[in-house]
Amino acid sequence: MNMINIGLSGLNANKTALDVTAHNVANVNTVGYSRQQAMMSALAGRELFSAGSGVEVDSIRRVSDQFIVKQMWAATSQQAASNANLANMTMLESLLGGEGFNISAGLDSLFSALNDATLKPESTPNRQQIINEAKALSRRFNTLSESLHGQGNRISDKATASIEHANSLMNNIADINHRVVETQATGGNPSQLIDERDVLIKQLSEVVEISSTQQPNGSLQVTLASGQPLILGSDAAQLKATPIVNEPFIQNIEIDFAGQTFAVTGELGGQLGAYDDYLKNTLKPTQQALNEMAENLASEFNQVLAGGFDLNGDPGQALFSFDPNSPAASLDITAITPAELALSSDGTPGNSDTLQALINLSTKPMAITGLGNVSLNDAFASMVGKTAIETRQAAVDQKAAETLFSQANAARDNLSAVNSDEEAANLMTFTNAYQANMKVISTANELFDSVLRLL
């Protein structure tokens, strides 16, 4: 009868292996699924000189390597960050290069009008053209500033949406942690739950760069790369954005966990990190430089005009007006008339000394944060050039991140994904083994019947 028991153990073990293989085949197209294997071991014999008692399935193994999975999560964070950065830089380059936003073109037109006026400084049409070009230049500053502000608001909204998505993911991951611990404690197979958790953590790593530590009870501890806690067992943190005073779209990112609030230190990584870095280190300096350009333009023009006289012999009036809190967005011209333009240094209608001083402003170095002491035209050209260089570098970084992402996913799939050819071979192998064990049982029955006939 031992032969029958041995065959029966083989039937059961290979039936389980066939079930596992069938499950793998069924999930060949399931995103994030890790193939499984039935792990078998021989049963020792219970009698003297016994070959053994057959076979048993010790466990259902989930084929995965946590090191490879962590590499995939890191590559996902890097790719998400590089994609977001490239999109932001491309938009900025497009804005600065737009025809209607080109400050250099507006400056050229204004100084061209000033040069044309030197032929006949007292000419009303020439003076009107100066006012017209000053107005057009103001609008360029206004529209570019508004567009940069609009981009900042859109990115801030994306950051808010990313935070909400991350909070939802963390709650779900914490819930799965709890279910994995329960399933593992009762001897169940948590493979499906772990696959689901890995998919959610991959999605979380798109938002922020994470670090993880496997716990003995089967749960996964998740933190930011800088160490702040996100998920501990079945407890999840919540990210939140706190507005900064006098900053229209820049926010501080904080973590609420177990009744405590932590300020996020270090790089966030992922999409959220890319948004935060762009707003603070690219868009804000660009807006600051644009504001300083507008303020310098208005202040220098108004100062030169204040030292001159208009066609009526009256002291000069300001050409530009602006709000010191937002010079580029508020830059405008005053209600000055052509006759009130103080282009003369002594009140003589044909004198153009003050006009020449205005023309000289085209090459006057002015202090612009991040760009140095440069002329306004050179300042904008440097801003455009710097943005173009950073955009090209962002494109290079994005391609490199895409390559790493593809390699990391390929490494994971090579190990864990279902291979249809391999599973087909397994089906034949386990089917043959199942049938062979049926033959063992059949043979045992024949021998038993033979013995009975001898009695």
Side-chain angles (χ1 to χ4, degrees), residues 248-263:
F249 43 72
I250 297 178
Q251 301 174 317
N252 284 327
I253 309 299
E254 297 177 330
I255 298 175
D256 282 343
F257 187 82
Q260 293 183 301
T261 299
F262 304 89

Side-chain angles (χ1 to χ4, degrees), residues 323-335:
D323 179 354
N325 293 320
S326 56
S330 63
L331 185 65
D332 201 353
I333 62 170
T334 63

